[in-house]
C-alpha cells in the first residue's frame, strides 16, 4: 500500500483566530430544558415534544479539540470563541440534548472506539493529499482506518461534511488536493455525506445550495448517500458544511432514541430516504443528492428497516 502524506483540514471556510480561553467539551451535569434556536429547523422542536432527544445514543465528534485556533460564533447562547471541534460538538448536542457526547481530537491518530448502543460519528473535516491516487492507496492511520471500517461494516452512523470547495465530491479542488476520506466512504453502508443549504427550506420559501458546498455530481452511488441541511451563517456567524454535519449527527441520535433496536445502517437509510425535495429551489440529485433531511418524516413510521 502506498503511503502518502495526508493533511487533516476542518471543513470550514473561515479564518481561524487565536483562542484566548478554550472551553472544555463534553456533557453538562445539569442539562437545562432545550430551546429551539433560530438556526434550527422547527422540526427539531416537534421531535423534542414527542420525547425524542437522543437518549441512549453516543455521538463522537472527531475534530479539533487541542489547537490554539478558534472561531467566533453564536448558536443562540451569546458570542463565543471556541475551537472548531467545540463548535461542532456544541451544535450536535443542542440538536440532541439527551445524547452522550464524546470528543476525539482529529490529530490523535488513535482508533475511534464505540460505546454500547447506537453510535454516531461526526466528521467535520477531510483528509487531503494531491490528486492522482485511490482511497485504497492511502496509508491510513488507525483513526481513519477505524472510521472507514465502522462505516463499511455498518457499526456507526457516519455524518461526513461534504466539503467547501464548491466541487463534486472526489474531485480535486483549486489547489489540486482531494479529500480522500470522502473517497474512502463512498458506498459505505452507514455513511452520509452532508452538504449545506443557505438556510432551512420550506415549501413556501425553498432554500438554495450554499455557494461553497460540495455536491454529489453525476455519481449515483454518492447521490444516494448525500443529503443537505440549512446552515444559516447569517444568524450564527458559522459557515461551512462543518456545521451541516452536526445537524445530521443530532438527527441520527434523535432517530436512534425512538428506534432503539435499529442498526446504524437502518438509521442512516431512514434519514436518506425521507429527505424532501419540495423545500429546495431547483432540486437536482446531482446538486442536492436525496434532498433536505427531515427529522419529522424520519420519525413518522412505527418501525424502520
Amino acid at each position: 500500500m502506498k503511503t502518502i502524506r495526508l493533511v487533516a483540514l476542518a471543513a470550514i471556510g473561515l479564518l481561524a483566530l487565536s483562542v484566548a480561553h478554550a472551553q472544555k467539551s463534553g456533557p453538562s451535569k445539569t442539562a437545562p430544558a432545550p430551546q429551539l434556536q433560530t438556526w434550527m429547523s422547527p422540526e427539531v422542536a416537534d421531535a423534542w415534544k414527542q420525547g425524542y432527544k437522543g437518549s441512549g445514543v453516543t455521538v463522537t465528534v472527531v475534530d479539533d479539540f487541542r489547537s490554539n485556533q478558534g472561531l467566533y460564533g453564536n448558536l443562540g447562547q451569546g458570542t463565543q470563541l471556541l475551537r472548531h471541534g467545540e463548535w461542532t460538538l456544541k451544535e450536535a448536542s443542542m440538536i440532541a440534548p439527551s445524547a452522550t457526547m464524546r470528543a476525539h481530537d482529529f490529530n490523535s491518530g488513535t482508533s475511534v472506539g464505540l460505546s454500547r448502543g447506537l453510535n454516531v460519528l461526526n466528521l467535520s473535516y477531510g483528509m487531503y493529499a494531491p490528486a492522482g491516487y485511490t482511497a485504497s492507496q492511502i496509508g491510513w492511520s488507525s483513526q481513519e482506518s477505524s472510521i472507514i471500517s465502522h462505516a463499511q461494516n455498518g457499526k456507526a452512523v457516519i455524518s461526513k461534511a461534504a466539503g467547501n470547495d464548491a466541487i463534486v465530491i472526489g474531485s480535486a479542488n483549486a489547489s489540486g488536493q482531494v479529500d480522500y476520506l470522502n473517497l474512502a466512504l463512498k458506498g459505505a453502508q452507514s455513511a452520509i455525506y452532508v452538504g449545506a443549504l443557505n438556510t432551512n427550506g420550506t415549501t413556501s420559501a425553498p432554500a438554495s445550495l450554499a455557494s461553497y458546498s460540495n455536491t454529489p455530481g453525476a455519481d449515483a452511488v454518492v447521490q444516494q448517500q448525500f443529503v443537505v441541511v440549512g446552515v444559516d451563517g447569517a444568524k450564527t456567524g458559522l459557515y461551512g458544511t462543518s456545521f451541516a454535519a452536526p445537524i445530521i449527527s443530532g438527527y441520527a441520535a434523535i432517530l436512534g432514541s425512538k428506534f432503539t433496536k435499529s442498526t446504524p445502517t437502518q438509521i442512516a437509510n431512514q434519514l436518506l430516504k425521507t429527505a424532501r425535495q419540495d423545500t429546495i429551489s431547483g432540486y437536482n440529485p446531482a446538486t442536492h443528492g436525496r434532498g433536505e433531511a427531515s427529522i419529522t418524516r424520519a420519525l413518522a413510521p412505527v418501525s424502520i428497516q
Side-chain angles (χ1 to χ4, degrees):
M1 180 179 293
K2 185 178 181 64
T3 301
I4 62 173
R5 184 173 181 270
L6 289 164
V7 178
L9 294 175
I12 57 173
L14 300 176
L15 178 65
L17 302 172
S18 175
V19 175
H21 300 287
Q23 295 189 357
K24 293 182 179 180
S25 57
S28 171
K29 292 182 179 179
T30 56
Q35 294 184 337
L36 186 75
Q37 302 296 333
T38 57
W39 54 269
M40 297 178 184
S41 165
E43 292 187 347
V44 173
D46 295 335
W48 293 344
K49 288 177 183 178
Q50 295 179 61
Y52 305 121
K53 301 176 183 178
S55 178
V57 179
T58 299
V59 178
T60 300
V61 177
V62 185
D63 210 314
D64 171 25
F65 292 97
R66 297 178 184 171
S67 79
N68 64 350
Q69 301 296 305
L71 302 165
Y72 283 104
N74 185 346
L75 290 178
Q77 300 172 333
T79 300
Q80 295 175 285
L81 175 62
L82 300 177
R83 296 183 180 95
H84 190 269
E86 292 167 330
W87 276 122
T88 54
L89 187 146
K90 176 186 281 290
E91 187 181 12
S93 69
M94 291 176 72
I95 294 287
S98 295
T100 298
M101 304 299 298
R102 295 174 55 202
H104 184 107
D105 190 78
F106 70 176
N107 282 317
S108 71
T110 59
S111 297
V112 180
L114 302 180
S115 301
R116 184 185 298 272
L118 180 71
N119 284 266
V120 180
L121 305 186
N122 189 89
L123 312 180
S124 288
Y125 74 102
M127 296 298 292
Y128 290 84
Y133 301 94
T134 65
S136 63
Q137 290 178 296
I138 305 300
W140 297 107
S141 73
S142 58
Q143 176 176 279
E144 276 69 46
S145 290
S146 65
I147 291 169
I148 295 165
S149 175
H150 295 330
Q152 291 176 339
N153 295 315
K155 298 298 185 182
V157 179
I158 311 296
S159 179
K160 172 68 170 72
N164 303 324
D165 294 304
I167 59 174
V168 171
I169 281 181
S171 60
N173 62 20
S175 300
Q177 301 281 306
V178 170
D179 180 355
Y180 285 95
L181 187 53
N182 267 346
L183 281 181
L185 294 172
K186 177 182 172 182
Q189 61 175 299
S190 57
I192 301 174
Y193 299 115
V194 191
L197 298 171
N198 57 6
T199 190
N200 296 301
T202 65
T203 54
S204 59
S208 299
L209 192 76
S211 61
Y212 52 78
S213 182
N214 286 357
T215 61
D219 191 318
V221 174
V222 178
Q223 288 178 12
Q224 291 298 302
Q225 290 179 253
F226 194 104
V227 293
V228 290
V229 293
V231 176
D232 207 329
K235 295 176 180 176
T236 65
L238 301 168
Y239 296 84
T241 59
S242 280
F243 306 105
I247 294 173
I248 290 298
S249 293
Y251 285 6
I254 287 173
L255 203 55
S257 65
K258 176 177 181 177
F259 302 111
T260 57
K261 297 187 182 302
S262 294
T263 67
T265 299
Q266 289 171 328
I267 296 293
N269 285 340
Q270 183 68 3
L271 287 169
L272 289 163
K273 73 181 183 181
T274 56
R276 56 191 303 172
Q277 297 85 43
D278 58 345
T279 57
I280 297 174
S281 177
Y283 167 75
N284 185 324
T287 303
H288 308 100
R290 305 291 285 271
E292 183 174 9
S294 168
I295 189 59
T296 295
R297 290 189 177 191
L299 284 170
V302 175
S303 62
I304 61 175
Q305 296 182 347

